[in-house]
Amino acid sequence: QVQLVESGGGLVQPGGSLRLSCAASGRIFGIYVMGWYRQGPGKQRELVAVISGGGTATYVDSVKGRFTISRDNAKVTVDLQMNSLKAEDTAVYYCRAYSSNFDYWGQGTQVTVSS
């Protein structure tokens, strides 16, 4: 069973930046998507950004122009660079790797944007 481990969360002031990283504990074979999701206080979990093996990225409208997702297929990692953070970005951020054959999730990392 592959495990995903996130890191890089924390407390940051509005307008600041954070970089989240996610690494898989083992190799993942085949074609799969990696991405980041988040769940804010009192909200449902939502997609933030996903990226295909070929590097095609999709973002939720609220983070376009501020967040950048990237992945390293050889290392099985996916990062999320978050700039110009806002209070509404406060959430637990989850890493995900999935295909038609599997669906792996990380445990989540807290991001708090507050002055």
Side-chain angles (χ1 to χ4, degrees), residues 6-10 18 20 35-49 67 80 82 85-96 105-113:
E6 303 102 334
S7 61
L18 279 177
L20 304 183
W36 289 92
Y37 293 69
R38 68 186 178 187
Q39 186 165 14
K43 298 181 180 179
Q44 291 188 335
R45 190 174 298 188
E46 65 170 352
L47 180 149
V48 177
F67 291 10
L80 185 69
M82 305 185 294
L85 283 160
K86 305 175 182 180
E88 50 263 43
D89 295 318
T90 294
V92 177
Y93 284 71
Y94 299 89
C95 173
R96 183 187 185 195
W105 287 87
Q107 292 299 306
T109 185
Q110 177 70 47
V111 172
T112 302
V113 184

Side-chain angles (χ1 to χ4, degrees), residues 28-84:
I28 302 177
F29 298 95
I31 299 172
Y32 60 97
V33 178
M34 298 192 80
W36 289 92
Y37 293 69
R38 68 186 178 187
Q39 186 165 14
K43 298 181 180 179
Q44 291 188 335
R45 190 174 298 188
E46 65 170 352
L47 180 149
V48 177
V50 292
I51 184 168
S52 70
T56 300
T58 301
Y59 300 89
V60 67
D61 285 347
S62 60
V63 308
K64 286 180 180 177
R66 300 188 298 122
F67 291 10
T68 303
I69 190 171
S70 59
R71 67 185 278 178
D72 185 320
N73 292 328
K75 295 180 180 179
V76 195
T77 60
V78 60
D79 292 349
L80 185 69
Q81 178 65 43
M82 305 185 294
N83 299 327
S84 303

